[in-house]
Amino acid sequence: MANLSHNSPMVSVVMSVYNDEPYVAEAVRSILGQTFRNFEFIIINDGSTDQTGEILASFHDERIR
């Protein structure tokens, strides 16, 4: 059995993005706005060439990895 602390997230939310500039901010806000709070949010930027990376960098939430 894994040794989990009480502060460890019990859920991982994974989102992959690629050139999603028009939608990525709304998608991130939607996940962060969930009533369930104990999760880590893993966002994979798959080499976007638009402003997706900059938009993701503008979010400052300790759950985002």
Side-chain angles (χ1 to χ4, degrees), residues 25-44:
E26 181 179 357
V28 170
R29 283 192 298 269
S30 176
I31 297 298
L32 294 177
Q34 298 299 305
T35 55
F36 182 80
R37 308 289 296 164
N38 189 21
F39 64 89
E40 65 178 346
F41 188 11
I42 302 166
I43 305 172
I44 302 161

Side-chain angles (χ1 to χ4, degrees), residues 2-54:
N3 183 11
L4 299 174
S5 80
H6 294 289
N7 295 330
S8 296
M10 297 302 292
V11 174
S12 296
V13 177
V14 180
M15 180 173 77
S16 177
V17 296
Y18 175 74
N19 288 346
D20 289 324
E21 181 178 351
Y23 314 106
V24 71
E26 181 179 357
V28 170
R29 283 192 298 269
S30 176
I31 297 298
L32 294 177
Q34 298 299 305
T35 55
F36 182 80
R37 308 289 296 164
N38 189 21
F39 64 89
E40 65 178 346
F41 188 11
I42 302 166
I43 305 172
I44 302 161
N45 183 4
D46 194 16
S48 295
T49 57
D50 62 1
Q51 297 298 307
T52 296
E54 289 81 357

